[in-house]
Amino acid sequence: EAQVTQNPRYLITVTGKKLTVTCSQNMNHEYMSWYRQDPGLGLRQIYYSMNVEVTDKGDVPEGYKVSRKEKRNFPLILESPSPNQTSLYFCASTPRGDRGVYEQYFGPGTRLTVT
Amino acid sequence: AQKVTQAQTEISVVEKEDVTLDCVYETRDTTYYLFWYKQPPSGELVFLIRRNSFDEQNEISGRYSWNFQKSTSSFNFTITASQVVDSAVYFCALRSHPGHNQGGKLIFGQGTELSVKP
């Protein structure tokens, strides 16, 4: 089954304790992104990757890091989480776009609370 | 700049009523794609529809229909004979042509929370 998986689904942590949210897709997609969802703001892109070892900042990258060492995985790293990073996080993948497919496939979401 | 506006923050209807969710977008691209997603209380994002900028045909899928009008930069979503299971947050989103789109980035509206009461 084609899917994007994220772990953990729920996480409560304390300020300053490094954490990683994993994301994996099994569709051989080139593009992957991380979004955060906040009330009244919709979803905003944090970081994206066009392919292995190619990553760049989205609209709200401060406080986050990513890596793309393998095509299927795109972990989101919070080196020193702060309460303003409490949010619902989505990982997404999509094909490059030149094959006529443009849908983003979203993971189930990770609800993060930083106290 | 690209932008998607969903002016209706919350809508409440009674079951079997028709309801329209508004979406207005801004883009300078001549080729772009518009989407609607549903987010039920469980939190996942469910893809509903994609529309290409060069295809202005309206679409109907069961009780769902979409009205795409380039002249007014709108892509409205209508649910006919609403049901309690339609209660969710609905997002409209915009994606540029793949040539310059930050890894397939979607620009989301703020979302409209639809509550359908029995």
Side-chain angles (χ1 to χ4, degrees):
Chain A
E1 179 191 356
Q3 61 181 352
V4 178
T5 57
Q6 292 179 231
N7 282 292
R9 295 289 312 280
Y10 302 91
L11 179 60
I12 300 174
T13 189
V14 296
T15 298
K17 186 177 181 182
K18 180 179 179 180
L19 67 92
T20 298
V21 183
T22 64
C23 172
S24 184
Q25 51 96 2
N26 62 0
M27 295 166 281
N28 202 37
H29 288 168
E30 290 79 12
Y31 295 174
M32 296 185 75
S33 289
W34 276 102
Y35 294 84
R36 61 177 287 172
Q37 180 183 349
D38 302 291
L41 297 176
L43 283 79
R44 294 174 293 168
Q45 191 187 49
I46 303 170
Y47 266 95
Y48 65 95
S49 171
M50 307 282 271
N51 215 323
V52 176
E53 302 290 2
V54 181
T55 64
D56 208 345
K57 298 177 181 178
D59 297 321
V60 287
E62 294 76 21
Y64 304 96
K65 285 175 57 176
V66 293
S67 69
R68 188 96 180 267
K69 292 182 169 51
E70 304 165 285
K71 197 172 186 178
R72 64 184 293 126
N73 296 324
F74 191 44
L76 179 69
I77 303 156
L78 284 73
E79 295 269 2
S80 183
S82 62
N84 64 11
Q85 292 178 298
T86 293
S87 188
L88 178 59
Y89 291 85
F90 288 97
C91 180
S93 74
T94 186
R96 199 167 53 215
D98 53 0
R99 304 166 200 164
V101 178
Y102 304 106
E103 282 77 15
Q104 290 253 2
Y105 293 77
F106 284 91
T110 294
R111 191 168 292 280
L112 172 66
T113 302
V114 183
T115 61
Chain B
Q2 297 185 315
K3 186 178 179 181
V4 175
T5 301
Q6 295 178 254
Q8 305 149 308
T9 304
E10 297 177 9
I11 300 176
S12 183
V13 300
V14 176
E15 210 171 16
K16 297 184 184 177
E17 285 185 17
D18 298 347
V19 58
T20 295
L21 309 182
D22 297 332
C23 173
V24 174
Y25 62 92
E26 297 175 28
T27 181
R28 293 180 181 172
D29 294 333
T30 54
T31 302
Y32 52 89
Y33 306 89
L34 295 164
F35 301 81
W36 276 95
Y37 286 87
K38 174 182 179 180
Q39 186 176 47
S42 52
E44 74 272 21
L45 288 166
V46 179
F47 167 78
L48 295 178
I49 190 173
R50 179 198 72 192
R51 226 38 185 155
N52 307 329
S53 55
F54 44 85
D55 181 2
E56 285 195 72
Q57 273 194 336
N58 291 327
E59 183 153 339
I60 297 174
S61 176
R63 296 184 296 107
Y64 295 172
S65 62
W66 291 268
N67 182 5
F68 176 30
Q69 294 199 342
K70 285 180 77 171
S71 61
T72 56
S73 297
S74 65
F75 186 42
N76 296 337
F77 173 31
T78 297
I79 302 175
T80 302
S82 60
Q83 300 176 0
V84 172
V85 293
D86 295 326
S87 297
V89 179
Y90 291 86
F91 290 99
C92 181
L94 167 71
R95 173 175 170 171
S96 292
H97 184 276
H100 41 89
N101 71 345
Q102 290 182 230
K105 173 184 174 181
L106 287 175
I107 306 293
F108 283 85
Q110 305 91 319
T112 297
E113 184 172 3
L114 173 65
S115 177
V116 181
K117 301 188 186 311

